[in-house]
Amino acid sequence: MTAIQTGASRRSCNIRNYAFALLAGTTLAGLPQAAWAQAEDDAQQTDQTAEQADPAADTTGPVAALQQGDVIRSISVQGVQRLEPNTILSYVRLRPGDTYTTAAADQALKDLAATELFESFSIRNDNGDVVIEVEENPVINRIILEGNERLKDDKIVPEIKLAPRQIFTRSKVRADVARIIELYKRQGRFAATVEPKMVSLDQNRVDVVFEINEGPKSKVRQINIIGNEKFSDGDLKDEMATKQSSLMTILSSNTSYDPDRLAYDQQKLRLFYLTNGYADFRVISAVAELTSNKQDFIITYVVEEGERYKFGDIDVKSEIRDFQPEMLKKLLPMNKDDWYDAKLVEDTVESLSETAGLFGYAFADINPEFRRDPETRTMAITFNVAESPRTYVERIDVNGNTLTQDKVVRREFRLAEGDAFNSLSVARSTARINSLGYFQENFEINQVEGSAPDRIVLEANVEEQATGELQLSAGFSSLESFILAGSIRQRNFRGRGQTVGLSLNYSRFSKSAQVSFTEPYVFDRNISAGVDIYRRDINSFNFRNNQRNTTFQQSTTGASLRAGVPLTEYISA
């Protein structure tokens, strides 16, 4: 890395060899550091040879001593193309008036290397006139992906930080290679390799090419379970999302290895044992080993089942006056001496929370207290209902509706601002908004804490969907020739919740047209009304002696009115 010449002190660093060595050795683990280390060793050997061949380089000689002690009179920069000389000078610590030393030159070289802006650079001292020679890194012209078939460019390009018109740097190449490989790992392709290459162009530009070898998808060849005695391997494997590769699962996508799915399977195993009474169960280790050909995984679980427990004494303690412990205790689904079931305990907590919501306690805190007795193998549980203020609706927010008016959503709420909170009314409001068919499926009303502990904000975050319908049909009859029919309907006309429709039918002997309109809330009251206007033309005929005879012609123009009122919350007339 250091070279000293007769008559002048010169220190240089060439990055070209480093870059090519780095780019040529990329594998699954990313760009190896060995190429950089080897290049440094070679440079050191070269420096040692130069020092031995050049007697003037002897640091004990008078010339070297003079040069090492020169006062810097000026600093100039040569070889720049895009960068300003002052910008390069700002990267180093050498300044006019300082004493030029080997340590200072080495530090300047390190500072230039840290910028990653130069392919090669050197520092030369000519009796106090210091010259910094640089060769700038090329500018990226374009990024090219080759060999990617399973993952298209639109999936890989967003993960690449290199971009056209940026300066090429090795660290960004290494990072991009690692990100691309990580994408393939998420797809279960652990044998994928990425080799970056650089194609030189004129004007110090390069094309960066990522040559991708996707490799086969890594399958789960075998699943081993160690330590299970109460349940067979087959019972436990049935609970897992990951499936072992076989002829029976050849069409399944769950046979590929996924680290997230491995963690999920551990939770599934734990839930399975806890549901069956094994409260002490734990997964000691879960190891996924990649085979030597990098095409398959062998997963090994080591488990500790523990002893099976039964329910002990079950009790309820409540600090809410509307909650009578004795009454709630009768509603609990578990009994003493039943096999312990953690899922049943979780469902009970949720059920008690919903019951508290019916009484207006939206944020009731219910904590099950477990008392385990290893000697009797029983699990006693006390459900503690903490004190909580009765909650009132502070406000109702409707968000996300760009076409539908707020009132169309608000009138479906069974709660009003200022009412006492009721979880049953919230559930009913959710069902009514879902039944409109204007918004996303599985819409839920979010419950957010208000400005005070006894206040709650109900948020209806909706995502509108298409509400228009168009139907076209055609047929052919030997009597009526072509039969055509079409209809168009809008179920949320102008965002008011109104329904407007038009239908047309045409054939040789019958024609009809109808226009309909429905207002579900007349004058914002819970009364629906509608009108249908229609026109029908019919030619009736029969056949006598193989001749068609028209019996009569009928034309009808009319209108009909409709109205509806709710008899109950669930029945209308």
Side-chain angles (χ1 to χ4, degrees):
M1 194 170 175
T2 305
I4 302 178
Q5 298 177 346
T6 304
S9 176
R10 178 185 181 89
R11 306 191 68 80
S12 64
C13 183
N14 193 314
I15 306 301
R16 183 184 304 272
N17 292 335
Y18 301 165
F20 281 105
L22 181 145
L23 289 171
T26 304
T27 59
L28 178 61
L31 298 177
Q33 298 295 331
W36 177 270
Q38 181 64 41
E40 288 184 341
D41 293 341
D42 294 343
Q44 291 175 359
Q45 293 176 3
T46 302
D47 292 343
Q48 293 174 0
T49 303
E51 290 174 356
Q52 294 174 0
D54 189 358
D58 186 359
T59 57
T60 61
V63 177
L66 177 63
Q67 291 168 349
Q68 293 295 322
D70 281 345
V71 175
I72 300 175
R73 293 181 299 178
S74 65
I75 303 176
S76 59
V77 180
Q78 297 179 357
V80 292
Q81 294 180 348
R82 297 179 302 272
L83 297 175
E84 294 291 334
N86 289 336
T87 302
I88 298 176
L89 291 177
S90 67
Y91 295 144
V92 299
R93 304 177 189 179
L94 296 176
R95 296 291 182 271
D98 294 346
T99 301
Y100 181 87
T101 63
T102 302
D106 281 343
Q107 183 61 46
L109 290 175
K110 293 178 181 178
D111 293 338
L112 291 174
T115 65
E116 295 188 334
L117 297 176
F118 310 105
E119 185 172 349
S120 64
F121 45 87
S122 64
I123 297 178
R124 185 177 70 252
N125 177 22
D126 293 330
N127 299 322
D129 296 325
V130 177
V131 179
I132 301 176
E133 296 181 0
V134 299
E135 182 179 352
E136 297 179 2
N137 272 339
V139 173
I140 298 173
N141 179 54
R142 57 178 177 164
I143 306 295
I144 303 173
L145 300 175
E146 294 182 355
N148 56 311
E149 297 180 358
R150 299 295 181 179
L151 283 180
K152 299 303 180 184
D153 289 5
D154 59 347
K155 300 293 184 181
I156 300 178
V157 170
E159 297 293 329
I160 297 178
K161 301 307 179 183
L162 288 174
R165 294 183 296 278
Q166 286 186 355
I167 295 178
F168 174 87
T169 63
R170 300 177 306 282
S171 62
K172 289 184 178 180
V173 171
R174 288 194 296 268
D176 286 342
V177 168
R179 276 188 286 267
I180 295 173
I181 291 175
E182 184 61 29
L183 282 178
Y184 278 97
K185 285 183 178 180
R186 295 175 193 168
Q187 298 291 322
R189 298 181 182 276
F190 285 79
T193 59
V194 179
E195 183 177 355
K197 292 187 176 180
M198 185 172 65
V199 179
S200 299
L201 304 174
D202 57 353
Q203 299 179 353
N204 199 21
R205 297 175 302 136
V206 294
D207 287 341
V208 179
V209 182
F210 292 98
E211 293 186 354
I212 301 173
N213 181 11
E214 296 180 317
K217 201 165 189 178
S218 302
K219 300 288 186 180
V220 176
R221 178 193 297 176
Q222 188 175 350
I223 299 177
N224 300 321
I225 304 175
I226 301 174
N228 56 310
E229 298 177 355
K230 306 299 182 181
F231 297 96
S232 66
D233 289 3
D235 292 336
L236 299 182
K237 290 178 182 178
D238 289 341
E239 297 296 322
M240 299 179 186
T242 303
K243 302 301 178 183
Q244 190 169 298
S245 180
S246 65
L247 292 177
M248 300 296 295
T249 58
I250 191 172
L251 298 178
S252 174
S253 61
N254 290 338
T255 57
S256 59
Y257 173 71
D258 186 341
D260 295 334
R261 196 183 297 136
L262 181 67
Y264 175 70
D265 286 340
Q266 296 180 57
Q267 295 299 322
K268 292 276 287 182
L269 283 177
R270 187 171 184 275
L271 179 61
F272 174 75
Y273 272 94
L274 290 177
T275 303
N276 285 278
Y278 294 89
D280 295 328
F281 172 82
R282 64 192 184 103
V283 178
I284 298 176
S285 66
V287 179
E289 298 177 276
L290 187 62
T291 57
S292 58
N293 59 6
K294 297 183 179 181
Q295 294 185 8
D296 296 305
F297 275 89
I298 298 175
I299 300 176
T300 302
Y301 294 94
V302 180
V303 302
E304 182 180 325
E305 294 179 321
E307 299 294 336
R308 193 177 188 187
Y309 282 73
K310 290 185 177 182
F311 281 112
D313 293 330
I314 308 297
D315 197 9
V316 178
K317 293 182 180 180
S318 174
E319 297 180 3
I320 299 178
R321 64 178 183 177
D322 294 329
F323 269 33
Q324 300 300 324
E326 294 302 323
M327 179 190 67
L328 294 176
K329 189 174 180 180
K330 296 178 181 178
L331 301 177
L332 298 180
M334 70 279 293
N335 297 307
K336 185 177 181 180
D337 293 332
D338 289 346
W339 289 114
Y340 174 73
D341 186 342
K343 183 65 168 59
L344 190 60
V345 175
E346 182 181 344
D347 293 342
T348 301
V349 172
E350 184 177 349
S351 177
L352 290 175
S353 298
E354 292 178 355
T355 304
L358 294 177
F359 288 90
Y361 299 94
F363 304 112
D365 188 12
I366 300 173
N367 296 312
E369 179 184 345
F370 299 91
R371 297 184 303 279
R372 183 177 313 182
D373 189 344
E375 295 182 0
T376 60
R377 298 176 188 172
T378 58
M379 183 77 71
I381 302 176
T382 300
F383 294 94
N384 296 310
V385 183
E387 184 178 1
S388 176
R390 189 182 292 274
T391 312
Y392 296 87
V393 179
E394 181 175 0
R395 70 178 186 273
I396 297 174
D397 294 338
V398 180
N399 306 316
N401 53 317
T402 57
L403 173 65
T404 306
Q405 297 182 4
D406 276 14
K407 70 174 184 178
V408 174
V409 180
R410 291 180 179 274
R411 65 194 183 193
E412 302 300 331
F413 273 84
R414 302 296 94 179
L415 287 168
E417 295 175 347
D419 288 352
F421 176 82
N422 186 293
S423 59
L424 185 62
S425 298
V426 173
R428 179 58 184 162
S429 301
T430 301
R432 288 182 65 92
I433 295 175
N434 271 320
S435 66
L436 292 175
Y438 304 158
F439 311 113
Q440 75 275 20
E441 296 182 2
N442 302 322
F443 162 81
E444 292 289 342
I445 296 176
N446 297 328
Q447 304 172 21
V448 182
E449 292 185 6
S451 58
D454 62 343
R455 295 290 183 267
I456 188 172
V457 176
L458 302 181
E459 291 185 349
N461 298 317
V462 300
E463 297 177 10
E464 294 180 325
Q465 59 183 8
T467 54
E469 299 175 4
L470 175 63
Q471 295 181 354
L472 300 172
S473 61
F476 182 82
S477 170
S478 60
L479 294 177
E480 296 191 79
S481 187
F482 287 100
I483 303 173
L484 303 175
S487 65
I488 185 172
R489 187 172 70 143
Q490 173 56 257
R491 293 182 291 108
N492 188 17
F493 182 63
R494 298 180 62 188
R496 298 173 179 268
Q498 302 165 339
T499 301
V500 177
L502 170 65
S503 63
L504 299 172
N505 293 278
Y506 175 84
S507 68
R508 185 176 181 182
F509 302 113
S510 65
K511 305 174 185 63
S512 66
Q514 177 173 306
V515 178
S516 61
F517 173 81
T518 302
E519 169 59 67
Y521 281 80
V522 178
F523 304 117
D524 293 329
R525 296 180 178 274
N526 198 6
I527 300 174
S528 64
V531 58
D532 299 315
I533 302 174
Y534 56 87
R535 166 77 180 193
R536 302 187 184 97
D537 294 332
I538 301 175
N539 290 336
S540 180
F541 60 89
N542 60 19
F543 282 90
R544 181 176 298 173
N545 297 327
N546 294 327
Q547 292 184 352
R548 176 183 172 279
N549 299 306
T550 301
T551 57
F552 68 90
Q553 294 179 342
Q554 180 181 10
S555 297
T556 305
T557 303
S560 62
L561 299 176
R562 294 175 278 105
V565 294
L567 299 180
T568 67
E569 178 64 24
Y570 303 94
I571 302 176
S572 300

